[in-house]
Amino acid sequence: MTSAGPLGDHPQRDYARKLQLFNAFAGPDLQSLMEVAGVKPGMHVLDAGCGTGETLQRLADIVGPEGLALGVDLSAPHIAASASHGVPTGLLQADLTRLPLHANSLDFIWCANTINHLRDATDALRRMASLLRHGGRIALGQSAFLPDMYFAWDLRLERLVNEAVRQYYRDRYALDERDLAAVRALVGLMRKAGLGDIRAQTVAIERLSPVDAATEAYLQEAIFRQTWGERLKPYLAEEDYAELERLCDPQHAAYALRRPDFHFIHTFTLVTGAP
């Protein structure tokens, strides 16, 4: 298997820890969206881009013993992480553009924060939709169509940091800004792939100070250290980077997560459609 898309994905790529942190933070909110989107007991469902398996387990819990939950991911380390949870369901290491599944065999497909990793998203969506039975639906989920809010008290620094992150990814993957923005057009992608009965819902996942342990772990490790960290130093003015370091340092008196006015907002958009 080769890379399926423009973001450096390949069968041995491993960012399992980041996925686990996000799923611990956002999992309960995403489960509510699954139920609203139509996942029901007894269904046959697919988690397309299942990552480390936490979301797949939630799907399995909803469909119950009379249903079937399958997970597929390109990454062998992610599949191994899913298997280590003991998820009582099927796992496949495969490219989403070449799924070894029968047509008309599924009732629901969940595909979150994944479609932007595919080189030809329209073709992949058509292929996935062909797996659905009559009345089935596919759900494409994506984080942060609306910018996340980290520093409620400093809009300027938050804007500069977000712009620095986008520039870093453009440089890292040699992408144009329009390439990174294309994922926002999920409704258009659904229509281009020939799906109908399209519905969209955006939810805000909010956390206030003092934050719970899962939120702090996600923000501290996945955002402050991995997404931001040293990699942003070349993209920010010296004084702005110094301020960012203070806000992200749990040993510093200015640590953002201990401020009484800390208010974190993460948005997640789900677009569903039917063949």
Side-chain angles (χ1 to χ4, degrees):
M1 286 179 284
T2 58
S3 170
L7 299 181
D9 297 284
H10 55 80
Q12 295 306 317
R13 190 178 184 196
D14 184 0
Y15 46 96
R17 177 60 178 163
K18 192 169 186 177
L19 294 173
Q20 290 163 345
L21 289 165
F22 176 77
N23 288 329
F25 154 69
D29 300 88
L30 298 188
Q31 180 161 338
S32 297
L33 272 179
M34 293 171 190
E35 295 167 348
V36 169
V39 183
K40 294 181 174 61
M43 280 187 166
H44 286 198
V45 302
L46 172 69
D47 186 352
C50 65
T52 48
E54 293 84 5
T55 299
L56 178 60
Q57 180 63 69
R58 292 182 184 279
L59 287 166
D61 290 343
I62 296 173
V63 301
E66 300 303 315
L68 175 67
L70 300 174
V72 61
D73 202 280
L74 179 69
S75 166
H78 295 171
I79 290 293
S82 295
S84 71
H85 296 319
V87 180
T89 187
L91 292 168
L92 296 169
Q93 185 199 355
D95 188 322
L96 290 183
T97 63
R98 296 190 295 274
L99 288 172
L101 299 172
H102 294 295
N104 307 309
S105 60
L106 299 170
D107 300 299
F108 197 95
I109 298 173
W110 175 271
C111 184
N113 290 328
T114 298
I115 202 74
N116 57 314
H117 289 257
L118 305 180
R119 196 172 302 281
D120 188 340
T122 305
D123 179 65
L125 184 54
R126 287 191 184 116
R127 289 172 183 265
M128 285 192 284
S130 72
L131 303 175
L132 291 170
R133 296 169 176 162
H134 178 72
R137 296 189 70 79
I138 186 167
L140 299 181
Q142 193 66 37
S143 294
F145 276 7
L146 301 173
D148 290 357
M149 184 172 81
Y150 299 96
F151 307 138
W153 60 91
D154 196 336
L155 178 60
R156 174 189 167 278
L157 181 61
E158 184 178 286
R159 173 178 54 80
L160 292 175
V161 170
N162 286 334
E163 289 174 355
V165 170
R166 286 193 288 267
Q167 187 60 53
Y168 167 82
Y169 278 101
R170 288 198 294 270
D171 291 349
R172 179 178 177 180
Y173 297 112
L175 295 171
D176 182 87
E177 186 170 12
R178 292 182 181 86
D179 296 322
L180 293 176
V183 69
R184 289 159 49 94
L186 292 187
V187 170
L189 175 62
M190 286 273 193
R191 292 199 165 119
K192 188 176 180 182
L195 283 87
D197 190 20
I198 297 169
R199 307 169 196 173
Q201 180 180 6
T202 298
V203 298
I205 302 171
E206 298 186 77
R207 301 289 187 267
L208 308 181
S209 178
V211 299
D212 59 89
T215 299
E216 180 156 12
Y218 169 65
L219 289 172
Q220 178 60 41
E221 188 173 340
I223 303 300
F224 294 174
R225 194 177 307 155
Q226 295 182 29
T227 302
W228 297 354
E230 283 285 327
R231 64 171 57 172
L232 294 193
K233 194 170 186 178
Y235 299 96
L236 292 170
E238 185 176 344
E239 61 273 20
D240 292 326
Y241 184 75
E243 176 63 13
L244 181 64
E245 280 193 306
R246 289 190 288 270
L247 290 170
C248 295
D249 181 1
Q251 304 306 317
H252 198 283
Y255 182 46
L257 302 190
R258 280 198 292 268
R259 289 179 58 118
D261 56 354
F262 182 75
H263 179 194
F264 173 53
I265 301 176
H266 174 89
T267 62
F268 187 88
T269 298
L270 194 70
V271 179
T272 66

